[in-house]
Every structure is written in C-alpha cells, then in structure tokens.
Amino acid sequence: MVLALPLFFLFAIYGVVAVYLPVVLTGMGYTATQVGFLLGIFEGAGVVLPLIISPAIERSGKYGLPLVFMGLLMVAIPLPMVKFLGFGATAVFLSLYSLGYKGAVPLSDSLTNKVLGDRCNDYGKVRVAGSVGYVIMTLLLQKFVPAGTAGQYMIGMVLAAGLFTLSLFLVPGIFSSYEKKSLVIAPSSSEVSPADLQNTAAPKKETLRELVAEFPPAFWLGLLLLFLGFFGLTPATKMFALYMMEFLHSDATGALSAISAGSEIPFMFFSGRFLRRYGSLKILVFCTAMVTVRLLLYIIFPNMAGAVLGQLLNSITYGLYHPAAVVFVSQYAPKGKLMISMSLYSIFAIGLASVMGNSLGGWMIDSFGYPPVFISFSIFPLLGVLFYFFVRKKIC
C-alpha cells in the first residue's frame, strides 16, 4: 500500500522529536520542571487542530490538503525555534509545531481505516511502516549525532517532514473524497441506500450531548483505559531521554529507543491475529496492565538491563496497544463518526494524558527523583484495569 510511505516519514519525524526533544530543551537551559511544562504545552496544543477540523474532514472525506498543510508546518517551524530563545518564544514555537506533528497522526490513522474498510484489523500491517521509519531515524541519529546540538536534531526534523510532505503526492486520489470512495472500496455487509448517501452528503448538526450519547458506554470505558495507560507511560516515553541521561548517566538513548521501536514491529504487524482472536477491548485491558509492569522494571532493575527490559515491553505497550486502540475506536464509532472517534482517542487518551503526565512528571523529577515518579505513575494503569473488572458486566 502506497500509504505506507508517508507513514514511514511521519514516524521518522517522531524518531527525532519523541526521543530527543527533552534533551534539546534541557540543552537550551531549561530545568526538568520547565521541560515538563513545555512538553505539556506541546502536547496540549496538538489536541486543538484535530478537535477543530475533524467534523469538516469527516463530512468532506478529503484528507490530502490538511495533511500537506501539517507537513509544511513541520518543515517551517523547527529551525526558528532554536534561534529565538526564551520560555515564552519556545512555548509558542512548540505550540505551532505541535499542530502539525500531533494533528497528522489521527488524520493518517483515519485515512488508513477509510482505505482498509472492512479489513481494519490489518491496520498494523500498514502502520508498521511508521515503526520502521522510527527505528531507522533513531539509529541514524545514534550513529552520527549521539550527543548532538539542538540545531542538528532540528535539521533531522525538517528533512523528514519535507519527505513526508512530498510523499503525500504519491498516494492515489488523496486530494479527492475518500468518503465516497470508501463506499466502493470497503462496503458494509448491508446495502447502501440512497437515503444513506444523502445523509452522508449533508449530515444533521448535533449538539455535544447528542454526539456523546451516540457512543456506547464500552467506548468510554476503553477510552478511560487508554487515558490511564498513556498517562502511566509518560516517564517511560516522554521522559526516557532524561532518565537515561540523568539517572543512568548514559548517552545511549538513541540505541535504546531503536530497540523499543524495533520490538514493536512484529507485534504491530501480527496484531490483526490477536485482535481477531481476543477482540480489541480485551487486548486494551491486557496492554494497560503491562504498562504497570513496564514502569516497575525501570526501578526494580535500576541499570542498563532494566532499561533494555522496559524498552522491550514497548512491543506490547505500543506495538500491540496502538493497533488495538485504533481498531477499538473504529469498531465502536457510530456511523459517520470515524474521524471524531479517532480524534477523541488522540485528544483525550493520548493528548490530555501526555499534557498531564509531562507537567506532573517534570515537577516530580525535580522534587523527588526518578524512582518515585515511575512507581507513582505505575499505579494509574493498574487502577484502570481493576475498574474494568469491576464494571465490565454492567456495560460490556
């Protein structure tokens, strides 16, 4: 599938930002608390664009121009960001960059699901291209700039973003309406009536209460599990570079990030088999529980062996977790609400969790150190799993 190429370059960008942005900000003179708040601003700004544009994209089915806009935004922002210093200026540039960086993922996930249609369980086979791009980028950075400057990392971001933008033009029909094409590529088991087509073309405006009521209770339970899981993952993902640099005193962040991303590839590729056998909700529960296990490994074994074990568990806490989440929100999305469902996952389960986790985590690192942070954050996913077993018979 040609769509794999933009995903490859999109997550190559993540290979720079997700791994090295905390290091870049620390190198610019910010404390762990300030880095946490800046990362929180970065994550928070990224939830704005999907929330605003999701309904319009859902109605039109056109993904090409928004994705190109986000790609150009990621090309334009990084280099000025390292030239104009100061907390306020950095916060503004991070917010602008995040609109493209965070907005492109739910949009590309929705596009992939539109194209796959009834084969949505095979999402992982397409998305794995992103993991490959992530691994290659982190290995390149580890080899050539293991302790690079902010400017060097920004150049990597710009080059990957430029290639992502150019690769979009290779996707057939990306600038036309996928809403209409999805009826041909992936029809539902029932026939599409003229009334359905009319409703698709001109959907009725809904109040927020009516929109929320359309989603079943199981959807909100799954979203809660995802929120607590991604909130818990914050120290192991967003703060991992600082953990390596300040706690383990190692500059092997890139290598261990490559191990992490590489471990997710087989689980992501074969995620469809697990999803067909166990169902997306059960997979979410299992992966959320494994977040707790992963966090505790970093502290039970406070050395390189513990870091490697924790990174290998990314195979489950992202390689299996993310495909299960994408399939879950698509399966439980009401008709005509796929993009909104994806945006809810991106905004609340990932975005809000990251905002809160970064802000709290940075302050806790400065105040208490790394062991209390990892232990405290491991409790939240566990609470989510216990809550699921308490209410599952009532709402599932």
Side-chain angles (χ1 to χ4, degrees):
M1 182 178 287
V2 181
L3 211 65
L5 190 60
L7 289 174
F8 176 91
F9 291 119
L10 175 59
F11 285 93
I13 306 169
Y14 270 64
V16 188
V17 180
V19 178
Y20 292 103
L21 184 57
V23 176
V24 169
L25 294 174
T26 302
M28 292 168 67
Y30 298 115
T31 65
T33 300
Q34 290 175 317
V35 169
F37 281 120
L38 285 170
L39 291 176
I41 292 169
F42 175 68
E43 299 286 348
V47 308
V48 175
L49 191 61
L51 186 63
I52 294 173
I53 69 174
S54 291
I57 295 175
E58 190 77 62
R59 288 192 295 269
S60 69
K62 295 181 179 179
Y63 295 83
L65 285 178
L67 282 170
V68 168
F69 168 76
M70 293 171 188
L72 292 175
L73 201 58
M74 289 188 283
V75 171
I77 297 299
L79 295 181
M81 187 170 76
V82 297
K83 296 295 183 182
F84 298 95
L85 302 179
F87 189 91
T90 303
V92 170
F93 281 119
L94 282 174
S95 298
L96 291 173
Y97 186 81
S98 184
L99 295 179
Y101 178 81
K102 288 292 181 179
V105 173
L107 199 56
S108 61
D109 282 341
S110 296
L111 176 59
T112 303
N113 272 277
K114 286 284 187 183
V115 175
L116 288 173
D118 290 339
R119 296 179 293 114
C120 64
N121 282 334
D122 291 330
Y123 163 83
K125 292 183 178 180
V126 182
R127 171 57 180 80
V128 75
S131 298
V132 174
Y134 186 103
V135 170
I136 290 175
M137 178 59 81
T138 53
L139 288 175
L140 287 173
L141 291 174
Q142 178 67 50
K143 179 174 178 59
F144 295 108
V145 284
T149 64
Q152 289 173 320
Y153 292 131
M154 294 301 178
I155 291 172
M157 292 163 59
V158 169
L159 289 175
L163 291 171
F164 164 71
T165 306
L166 292 174
S167 69
L168 291 171
F169 292 89
L170 301 177
V171 180
I174 195 172
F175 297 103
S176 58
S177 176
Y178 271 90
E179 186 63 36
K180 296 176 181 178
K181 290 186 175 184
S182 64
L183 297 176
V184 177
I185 295 172
S188 63
S189 57
S190 60
E191 293 184 0
V192 180
S193 67
D196 292 330
L197 293 174
Q198 185 177 359
N199 290 335
T200 301
K204 182 184 73 173
K205 290 185 178 180
E206 299 172 293
T207 65
L208 180 60
R209 178 177 295 183
E210 290 172 336
L211 179 63
V212 169
E214 287 189 57
F215 289 86
F219 174 86
W220 301 111
L221 176 60
L223 204 65
L224 175 64
L225 286 170
L226 288 164
F227 170 83
L228 293 173
F230 280 103
F231 177 81
L233 278 171
T234 305
T237 53
K238 310 300 181 182
M239 301 292 180
F240 180 71
L242 297 182
Y243 167 84
M244 288 291 294
M245 183 173 62
E246 298 178 355
F247 188 72
L248 296 187
H249 307 290
S250 171
D251 62 357
T253 301
L256 266 70
S257 295
I259 290 173
S260 173
S263 71
E264 77 190 30
I265 291 175
F267 277 81
M268 188 169 289
F269 187 82
F270 292 108
S271 60
R273 296 186 180 185
F274 294 102
L275 289 164
R276 281 187 284 269
R277 181 168 182 176
Y278 299 106
S280 57
L281 184 55
K282 289 182 180 179
I283 296 293
L284 290 188
V285 176
F286 170 71
C287 293
T288 303
M290 292 305 294
V291 171
T292 296
V293 176
R294 179 181 178 182
L295 289 171
L296 293 178
L297 284 174
Y298 292 103
I299 301 306
I300 293 174
F301 305 101
N303 48 41
M304 191 62 71
V308 170
L309 288 174
Q311 293 299 87
L312 286 174
L313 272 186
N314 190 59
S315 58
I316 296 173
T317 60
Y318 191 79
L320 186 57
Y321 206 13
H322 177 63
V326 170
V327 171
F328 172 82
V329 298
S330 65
Q331 289 175 337
Y332 283 83
K335 185 178 180 180
K337 300 293 187 296
L338 176 60
M339 183 63 194
I340 294 173
S341 181
M342 289 293 178
S343 294
L344 287 172
Y345 165 50
S346 178
I347 292 167
F348 294 106
I350 300 178
L352 183 61
S354 295
V355 171
M356 296 175 62
N358 281 309
S359 300
L360 180 62
W363 171 76
M364 288 186 67
I365 287 171
D366 273 343
S367 301
F368 306 107
Y370 287 91
V373 171
F374 278 79
I375 293 171
S376 299
F377 275 70
S378 72
I379 296 172
F380 292 95
L382 181 60
L383 291 175
V385 172
L386 294 175
F387 180 73
Y388 164 80
F389 284 108
F390 182 74
V391 303
R392 62 173 178 164
K393 292 183 179 180
K394 299 179 182 178
I395 64 176
C396 294

